[in-house]
Amino acid sequence: MSKASVSAPKPAAGTGYSYDDIDHREPTGHGNSPAAWTTVFVMLVGALIMSIAFVIANTTIFIAGGVVMLLGLVIGFVMRKAGYGVGGGKLKNSGH
């Protein structure tokens, strides 16, 4: 067996890019905002409803869970437009 180490190709010096050509100089954020957390919570409730409906084989409740998930997306969009998203005017922090 060879004892040579294996490594990923190195980016050119001073370019600020990684080997996969993604610009990592700008932080992408983590979605830490009331709009994001509300969206996630509502969609998780919808997924729970759909899971329970799947197990008990009830199509009506399954569809209702899907409606709750879509409602979560709408709530998140409305909250973001109202200024509760990352960098929104209603927040004191920048989302980090």
Side-chain angles (χ1 to χ4, degrees), residues 23-83:
D23 186 2
H24 293 282
R25 292 178 288 190
E26 284 291 321
T28 56
H30 301 285
N32 291 335
S33 69
W37 283 105
T38 303
T39 300
V40 169
F41 179 74
V42 172
M43 290 185 75
L44 282 173
V45 170
L48 176 65
I49 293 169
M50 290 178 79
S51 299
I52 292 170
F54 183 80
V55 170
I56 64 174
N58 190 320
T59 305
T60 307
I61 296 175
F62 186 83
I63 292 171
V67 169
V68 170
M69 289 187 74
L70 290 173
L71 183 65
L73 285 174
V74 171
I75 290 171
F77 180 77
V78 169
M79 286 182 71
R80 186 184 70 177
K81 290 297 183 184

Side-chain angles (χ1 to χ4, degrees), residues 2-22:
S2 172
K3 295 191 180 209
S5 63
V6 177
S7 63
K10 305 283 188 234
T15 61
Y17 291 98
S18 66
Y19 69 94
D20 54 1
D21 292 332
I22 297 174

